[in-house]
Amino acid sequence: MQGKLLRRMLTRYDLYLLLLVPMVWYIVFKYYPMYGLQIAFKDFSPSQGIWDSSWVGLKHFDRFFSSYYFWQLLWNTVSLSLYSLIVGFPIPILLALLIHETPSRKFKKWLQNATYMPHFLSLIVIIGMLNIFLDPITGMVNRVLAVFGMDPVDFMRKAEWFQTIFVGSGVWQNMGWGSIIYLAALSSIDPTLYEAAKMDGASRMRRIWHVSLPGILPTIIILFILQIGSWMDVGFEKALLMQNPINAERSDIIATFVYKTGIQEGQYSYTAAAGLFNSVVDFILLLLVNGYARRKTESSLW
Amino acid sequence: MKRKRKGTVLLLAGAMAGVLTLSACAKESADTNGGASAEGQNGGVNTAGFPIVKDQASFTVFGCKDPNQAAWKDVLVFKEYEKKSNVHMDFQETPSQGCAEKKNLLFASNELPDLFLRAQLTNDDLAKYGMQEKQLIPLEGLIDQYAPNLKSLFEQYPDEKKAITAPDGHIYALPQMRVLGSERSEKIWINKDWLQKLNLQAPTNVEELKKVLVAFRDQDPNGNGKKDEIPLGLRDMGMVFSELTGSWGLDRQLGYNINIDNDKVHIWVADDRFKDMLMFLNEMYKENLLWADFYKGDIPKWRSNLSQANFGMFFIQASDPFINVENQFTGMAPIKGPFGDQKFVSAQPIASPTGTFAITKVNKNPEAAMRWVDYFYGDEGSLFFRFGVEGQTYEMKDGKPVMKDSVLNDSRGVMAAMGDINLVPGGGFPHLVTEKTGGLTNNEKVMEVYGYVEKYIPQTIYGAPIFDKAASEKILSLRADIDKYVNESVAKFILGELSFDRWDAYVNTLKKMQLDELEKAYQQAYDTMKQ
């Protein structure tokens, strides 16, 4: 039996060679670093190294869970992810449907280009644009508000605006890019289905509902599960760049906390525990959603 | 299907195990190498005079580079000193921003350079990487044998030596020695031209201060017809806790928000006096009297406002960022606060900053390194470091060194020109600063302005203590929450995002965060230090 497998592998050695490349990548960059995870349960001492540092059990988790900021960090992380997901996930689908239904080829191309251009802007540029547009005195947005007789709002400074700006700019930047995969799925739907629906007198909305959406549903579910996998992994750089002491009560998420306390202040063991907690929550969510999808629909990750 | 997957998993697991053992081996051998090099005698070091070593010695050096400094290998003083000392420095400097990060990673990965020079080592670093990890070596023995200049300085200032000695009795890093008072103190600057134009006197109490600032705001003292004057400037959040506090009777001892009365340590962040000062700043902010960007820590913007003389009143140690307009300004005494206090507490001890130079355990010739740095603690070396080469970068006038005009009138600005010569811009280099060698950062103007605050500076200033392991663990974890909370809340109080009705809630939260425990920990550290 073992021999059979080996023989099969040998006959298709070229494919396995190809597979080797990503596998090495995973081992070097994903599995090997996990060796360092143990410092979450140790008092990491650089002179003794990762392996020889002394075990301290759950001390660092204890400290993290009982720290004053734990619930705030957790809530900020969860609510920001949830918000991003609820707003950010359906919009590319809607955009794809919209583009798909646009009759003029020229307009279609233009729309597609215009919406996915922002994806290529660097994050620093986006934050700079936000700062300029949302400035309370010189910013475009506040000037428009002023025209309607409203008081200027210092958006970047208000904690309650942080999540909306974060998610809104994210949607603006990524909806075009995100819609590409749905467009591909849409174009693979058999056109005869649309014709048949048309013959039966289905309106445009009906055709979208009964033909387009079911056609791309597997894609939607897979992408949804993938997004859940990085649930708590919300844009760390962006949150960090947008952060200031005034909006920190909303903008401080576990990832920024790990960076500031761990990397900048050198409390490696403590923040390794915080980071591990984040990943474990991620992983459990992924299992739950995947399990649910497998039971309810045909498609799931595994 | 199932079976096949099992095979793959096994394969993967095997590969992983292989990688793990391989890397473990690699690590071990690296460790033994590091250990073996610890011994070695004085490596052919001459105990006096130059060159320091017969055969060229070479060190790898990690440090933080201020934006105004040239690449360190091109800095004139270092190039000249290499010729003189026969010690080569392989500089690996990192821009200040992100430097702390890099420094922590060097320690954590145990990939140590031979020396840490101007690397902003904090007292927590010294406790952690010196006392606990032994990655930095004790220096007191080397100082006795190879650092005559520093030794005599320590004999002259025994308290300073005590302050930089860790609780285990070792010295893990050398401080900058700022004997000249002006070098280690911020100053209060006020726009003299604006005062004259509006026919005003420098304010002496809170009411007068408000009046002056309002006049700065409304009466267009710079005469350009625009309301672009910024009456009061604070560089960043840190200044909220150090610059005006003295007028409210709040001191800055032990490098923290601490008053010490009769040997009793008190942290004042929950005090009513502090609240009163915040209410004052809140009023300043609401009235557009305070620089609106102060909480962002935008240093380039701050410097550009300085050089355009946009501020009416502000705080800074030296005039170098606005040397072109420094004559518009003069100094003033701290105002008398609402509770009758009149102090100026933004000053540091002589031996500060503490962690400017440290030798690591991988250094094969610490004797030569110690001799290399000791030169800068002598009068001759201090002059050489701060001014460069006589005739080339400075001249002696009436017994005082003066930078050449080619430096002073450099089109890039004085500080950038200085950055080609030495590491004075940005400060924090291990050396001696005296009245004679104070130089640009203590020029006539700066000394004039210092004169106004000098007598209001507290007699004794205790720097941040070096904690032992138990204390530092406790203090670090308490301060992590408390500092974050205080900083955020204070910013909100001043900006009006948090109303002062919530002050009691703020105080209660601090109680919950165990502010009293933190105070106790500091009291203990202070008591040990006093022994």
Side-chain angles (χ1 to χ4, degrees):
Chain A
M1 163 186 92
Q2 204 75 11
K4 208 172 146 198
L5 173 70
L6 211 64
R7 205 173 322 125
R8 271 221 315 259
M9 282 176 75
L10 275 177
T11 48
R12 295 175 202 166
Y13 72 95
D14 38 1
L15 292 180
Y16 281 93
L17 274 182
L18 274 179
L19 184 67
L20 199 63
V21 177
M23 261 175 61
V24 166
W25 186 86
Y26 267 102
I27 289 167
V28 172
F29 292 106
K30 297 285 172 185
Y31 283 89
Y32 175 56
M34 279 193 215
Y35 156 72
L37 262 185
Q38 51 179 303
I39 67 166
F41 306 95
K42 288 180 162 181
D43 259 342
F44 173 60
S45 145
S47 56
Q48 287 168 316
I50 293 176
W51 196 253
D52 292 325
S53 298
S54 52
W55 293 96
V56 293
L58 297 177
K59 176 176 133 187
H60 300 297
F61 290 89
D62 249 5
R63 182 181 153 200
F64 182 56
F65 294 144
S66 58
S67 111
Y68 177 81
Y69 282 100
F70 171 68
W71 290 108
Q72 185 187 308
L73 282 172
L74 185 62
W75 172 242
N76 283 346
T77 312
V78 170
S79 61
L80 189 61
S81 335
L82 199 64
Y83 195 177
S84 300
L85 195 69
I86 290 175
V87 177
F89 188 72
I91 285 183
I93 302 175
L94 292 177
L95 182 69
L97 291 172
L98 195 76
I99 293 174
H100 188 65
E101 295 297 323
T102 306
S104 152
R105 260 188 76 85
K106 238 184 178 169
F107 182 65
K108 207 172 179 169
K109 281 269 170 272
W110 177 84
L111 186 62
Q112 221 177 329
N113 281 324
T115 50
Y116 82 58
M117 278 308 194
H119 177 80
F120 298 102
L121 290 180
S122 118
L123 204 54
I124 300 282
V125 176
I126 301 273
I127 306 294
M129 285 167 68
L130 286 175
N131 277 325
I132 292 169
F133 290 159
L134 299 176
D135 189 278
I137 299 156
T138 54
M140 205 158 77
V141 176
N142 275 306
R143 287 202 176 160
V144 173
L145 287 183
V147 170
F148 293 103
M150 283 186 268
D151 288 331
V153 183
D154 195 344
F155 292 99
M156 295 302 276
R157 220 189 70 195
K158 297 276 182 192
E160 62 267 30
W161 275 100
F162 169 77
Q163 296 197 330
T164 305
I165 295 169
F166 184 96
V167 172
S169 59
V171 165
W172 171 77
Q173 191 184 3
N174 289 321
M175 64 176 174
W177 188 257
S179 70
I180 291 177
I181 205 155
Y182 296 114
L183 275 172
L186 279 170
S187 65
S188 67
I189 294 173
D190 190 348
T192 55
L193 289 174
Y194 286 105
E195 276 162 33
K198 228 178 199 166
M199 296 282 244
D200 293 341
S203 69
R204 180 161 284 210
M205 287 320 267
R206 286 271 151 211
R207 290 201 301 267
I208 290 177
W209 190 249
H210 291 289
V211 182
S212 301
L213 272 180
I216 60 170
L217 193 62
T219 315
I220 293 179
I221 289 172
I222 291 290
L223 283 181
F224 184 74
I225 297 172
L226 284 177
Q227 286 236 335
I228 293 289
S230 53
W231 168 271
M232 307 260 280
D233 206 10
V234 274
F236 151 69
E237 293 97 338
K238 195 167 169 187
L240 188 74
L241 287 169
M242 285 175 68
Q243 210 167 71
N244 60 46
I246 310 295
N247 68 19
E249 61 169 296
R250 300 305 286 278
S251 63
D252 212 6
I253 55 178
I254 295 181
T256 58
F257 168 80
V258 167
Y259 172 72
K260 285 192 293 190
T261 318
I263 306 289
Q264 290 189 327
E265 288 173 26
Q267 302 188 38
Y268 297 109
S269 282
Y270 176 45
T271 45
L276 181 59
F277 167 75
N278 197 349
S279 307
V280 168
V281 174
D282 252 2
F283 189 59
I284 292 174
L285 274 170
L286 179 68
L287 287 181
L288 287 177
V289 173
N290 190 58
Y292 185 77
R294 194 172 44 204
R295 262 184 290 124
K296 289 287 170 189
T297 66
E298 293 294 296
S299 30
S300 70
L301 276 184
W302 66 84
Chain B
M1 184 71 186
K2 266 266 156 68
R3 196 151 289 154
K4 187 171 154 199
R5 192 187 287 169
K6 209 171 189 175
T8 331
V9 169
L10 271 174
L11 220 134
L12 230 168
M16 262 177 70
V19 169
L20 281 183
T21 34
L22 262 177
S23 60
C25 291
K27 220 171 146 28
E28 240 157 63
S29 62
D31 279 353
T32 39
N33 276 347
S37 66
E39 54 204 338
Q41 339 79 344
N42 80 349
V45 178
N46 301 326
T47 40
F50 287 106
I52 293 174
V53 281
K54 229 177 270 158
D55 306 318
Q56 196 187 50
S58 176
F59 297 109
T60 51
V61 183
F62 176 80
C64 304
K65 178 181 165 299
D66 186 86
N68 275 324
Q69 296 165 356
W72 288 6
K73 66 174 170 43
D74 299 329
V75 168
L76 177 79
V77 163
F78 288 148
K79 283 198 288 196
E80 291 297 321
Y81 193 44
E82 178 172 343
K83 281 184 225 157
K84 190 170 177 163
S85 64
N86 204 19
V87 173
H88 172 74
M89 292 290 176
D90 178 10
F91 292 116
Q92 291 156 8
E93 71 272 25
T94 297
S96 299
Q97 221 179 4
C99 191
E101 219 171 299
K102 188 86 186 285
K103 171 192 73 188
N104 285 333
L105 289 174
L106 286 177
F107 280 116
S109 57
N110 215 1
E111 286 170 11
L112 300 169
D114 293 326
L115 300 172
F116 282 94
L117 176 70
R118 195 188 185 276
Q120 296 163 8
L121 297 176
T122 64
N123 283 358
D124 293 335
D125 291 337
L126 300 186
K128 199 154 62 177
Y129 305 123
M131 273 200 299
Q132 292 169 35
E133 304 289 346
K134 312 278 180 222
Q135 289 172 301
L136 303 176
I137 63 169
L139 304 177
E140 62 279 354
L142 291 169
I143 294 173
D144 277 347
Q145 278 189 285
Y146 296 97
N149 292 322
L150 191 57
K151 195 177 164 191
S152 76
L153 272 177
F154 279 160
E155 275 158 13
Q156 216 176 330
Y157 302 100
D159 285 348
E160 301 297 329
K161 184 182 177 187
K162 216 163 136 189
I164 61 151
T165 305
D168 64 356
H170 293 307
I171 292 173
Y172 290 103
L174 304 183
Q176 191 177 346
M177 292 297 283
R178 300 187 283 185
V179 176
L180 177 64
S182 159
E183 175 74 10
R184 54 195 153 92
S185 155
E186 306 264 344
K187 292 150 197 83
I188 314 175
W189 299 72
I190 190 154
N191 200 311
K192 187 172 64 179
D193 287 7
W194 293 6
L195 284 178
Q196 263 164 16
K197 188 158 178 201
L198 305 178
N199 213 358
L200 291 164
Q201 296 290 320
T204 60
N205 59 35
V206 178
E207 284 316 307
E208 286 176 24
L209 176 59
K210 275 184 205 167
K211 224 190 302 168
V212 167
L213 294 179
V214 167
F216 282 169
R217 180 191 65 189
D218 294 337
Q219 300 180 22
D220 190 29
N222 66 5
N224 65 355
K226 277 188 259 171
K227 267 198 173 186
D228 55 357
E229 293 86 358
I230 306 168
L232 177 63
L234 291 177
R235 183 183 61 219
D236 48 31
M237 281 300 294
M239 281 203 159
V240 173
F241 299 90
S242 61
E243 304 308 312
L244 285 162
T245 41
S247 299
W248 270 261
L250 308 168
D251 208 342
R252 247 194 108 69
Q253 295 291 355
L254 301 172
Y256 198 49
N257 309 313
I258 283 177
N259 275 11
I260 299 180
D261 283 320
N262 298 323
D263 287 332
K264 222 184 135 315
V265 170
H266 174 63
I267 300 175
W268 45 253
V269 289
D271 287 10
D272 283 343
R273 285 171 168 235
F274 185 49
K275 178 187 177 186
D276 195 81
M277 191 198 81
L278 291 181
M279 288 171 92
F280 168 76
L281 284 178
N282 170 246
E283 193 187 335
M284 295 295 102
Y285 183 82
K286 266 195 306 209
E287 296 281 326
N288 274 326
L289 298 170
L290 176 62
W291 186 40
D293 286 340
F294 78 94
Y295 66 94
K296 290 180 184 158
D298 189 345
I299 304 298
K301 212 166 169 182
W302 159 260
R303 285 191 180 158
S304 98
N305 274 320
L306 280 177
S307 63
Q308 293 168 43
N310 287 341
F311 289 124
M313 177 184 165
F314 57 92
F315 309 87
I316 198 167
Q317 186 265 324
S319 61
D320 46 86
F322 56 101
I323 203 147
N324 51 330
V325 289
E326 67 170 6
N327 284 324
Q328 278 194 35
F329 297 93
T330 186
M332 64 177 263
I335 57 166
K336 201 168 198 157
F339 309 101
D341 303 280
Q342 193 172 16
K343 276 199 280 185
F344 189 69
V345 301
S346 191
Q348 257 101 47
I350 292 176
S352 68
T354 44
T356 57
F357 180 87
I359 301 179
T360 68
K361 64 175 184 188
V362 302
N363 192 317
K364 294 203 178 74
N365 198 347
E367 297 84 6
M370 182 54 78
R371 280 218 55 208
W372 184 88
V373 73
D374 184 58
Y375 180 58
F376 299 115
Y377 288 106
D379 286 326
E380 189 191 319
S382 168
L383 181 67
F384 168 65
F385 175 71
R386 294 185 70 84
F387 285 88
V389 181
E390 186 168 2
Q392 191 180 341
T393 54
Y394 77 97
E395 272 157 1
M396 296 302 277
K397 277 183 193 155
D398 310 326
K400 275 190 163 179
V402 180
M403 277 284 180
K404 283 209 161 182
D405 285 347
S406 57
V407 178
L408 295 176
N409 301 329
D410 194 286
S411 59
R412 295 166 299 163
V414 190
M415 278 295 120
M418 281 269 270
D420 289 343
I421 301 171
N422 54 30
L423 300 191
V424 168
F429 186 84
H431 71 297
L432 169 74
V433 189
T434 61
E435 200 174 334
K436 193 180 163 199
T437 60
L440 264 185
T441 50
N442 302 282
N443 63 14
E444 269 170 44
K445 190 76 207 174
V446 177
M447 291 311 287
E448 169 200 325
V449 175
Y450 177 58
Y452 285 90
V453 291
E454 190 173 9
K455 65 174 178 183
Y456 299 100
I457 294 174
Q459 292 264 304
T460 4
I461 303 163
Y462 296 102
I466 304 174
F467 300 112
D468 57 33
K469 185 169 185 205
S472 87
E473 238 171 55
K474 188 166 182 186
I475 286 176
L476 266 184
S477 74
L478 285 172
R479 273 188 62 171
D481 284 355
I482 291 175
D483 287 357
K484 180 171 150 62
Y485 183 68
V486 169
N487 213 33
E488 286 172 21
S489 304
V490 162
K492 283 188 213 159
F493 278 127
I494 297 176
L495 267 59
E497 298 288 331
L498 197 58
S499 128
F500 282 95
D501 302 342
R502 299 292 307 252
W503 181 262
D504 289 340
Y506 162 80
V507 172
N508 280 330
T509 309
L510 281 177
K511 250 184 219 151
K512 256 186 262 161
M513 292 176 162
Q514 299 181 299
L515 188 65
D516 50 335
E517 284 294 314
L518 185 63
E519 196 169 283
K520 260 187 232 160
Y522 266 102
Q523 178 77 54
Q524 239 166 31
Y526 173 76
D527 292 343
T528 353
M529 204 171 72
K530 281 299 261 188
Q531 275 163 18

